[in-house]
Amino acid sequence: MDFTRLSSVLTVVGALMLPFAPASAATLTFEDLNSGQASYDVVPSPYKGFAFSGWFYGPDTVYAPASGSIDLFTDYADPTDPGAYVITSNNAITSAVEFVFDGAAFSGYSGVTFELWDAGNLVATSDSLPDSQGAAPYGPTFLASGYSGLVDKVVVSGVQGYFSMDDFTYHAPASNNVPEPGSLALVLFGLGIGGLSARRRR
């Protein structure tokens, strides 16, 4: 067996497959927003390529962040004030560049859900994280988007001031030129036949 030729073929196959490798996920933990302030502030825009409309950040002393000490809130509303129990669906997270949204971690009392938008169209709605059934808030819980397509806006719906968000996770889209399994099999088959033919000619 010609191991040199086999190695060459495998190298070529690896090079061909590189553009089709899935992109790795990125997670925004918001820890770099920590400037030592004791209260909350508006998330700067843009932040890491996103606009967090209606979101505030700060050290979380009420709920538990999924990582570090900083997470995001939808408002300053006091979760113990019954008059503040307002469901809001205008807390948008937008990007000029389409992305694949994986999900985010939440803590608090209120259940939340995602609406996923692209080019002004609602393309998917996630499952809902249920309301806390106890006197204590639930701890960090990751809510997956359940959608693998491209989006340019994520809207979080929940009760204003009754939850916090952390570890916003997303990834860039993979190449649009990903071959179908049948096409990939033909490429590999062709490489194998080419290798055998070259060996026979020798």
Side-chain angles (χ1 to χ4, degrees):
M1 184 176 184
D2 190 343
F3 287 101
T4 302
R5 179 162 295 281
L6 177 61
S7 175
S8 298
V9 170
L10 291 176
T11 300
V12 170
V13 171
L16 288 172
M17 291 303 294
L18 277 177
F20 311 130
S24 58
T27 300
L28 303 182
T29 64
F30 311 110
E31 291 306 300
D32 59 326
L33 292 175
N34 187 3
S35 59
Q37 83 276 17
S39 59
Y40 309 114
D41 203 352
V42 177
V43 176
S45 185
Y47 172 71
K48 307 289 187 180
F50 295 92
F52 286 82
S53 176
W55 292 88
F56 301 84
Y57 74 93
D60 195 338
T61 58
V62 179
Y63 307 131
S67 59
S69 61
I70 304 296
D71 55 11
L72 304 190
F73 300 84
T74 57
D75 202 275
Y76 294 104
D78 181 358
T80 62
D81 177 9
Y85 199 87
V86 178
I87 296 177
T88 178
S89 60
N90 60 354
N91 297 297
I93 301 149
T94 59
S95 173
V97 179
E98 292 177 310
F99 61 99
V100 179
F101 177 56
D102 300 313
F106 292 88
S107 299
Y109 295 94
S110 170
V112 294
T113 188
F114 300 122
E115 287 183 353
L116 307 176
W117 295 77
D118 188 48
N121 299 307
L122 178 63
V123 294
T125 301
S126 74
D127 290 336
S128 295
L129 186 65
D131 285 329
S132 171
Q133 298 299 310
Y138 58 81
T141 304
F142 190 83
L143 176 61
S145 73
Y147 182 68
S148 59
L150 293 175
V151 301
D152 57 19
K153 180 169 73 171
V154 176
V155 177
V156 181
S157 295
V159 179
Q160 187 168 286
Y162 280 67
F163 66 89
S164 64
M165 181 178 72
D166 201 5
D167 289 5
F168 182 89
T169 307
Y170 67 98
H171 63 274
S175 170
N176 293 328
N177 298 317
V178 177
E180 295 180 0
S183 301
L184 182 58
L186 287 175
V187 170
L188 295 176
F189 180 74
L191 287 172
I193 293 297
L196 287 175
S197 299
R199 186 172 182 181
R200 285 178 179 174
R201 280 197 298 271
R202 284 188 174 184

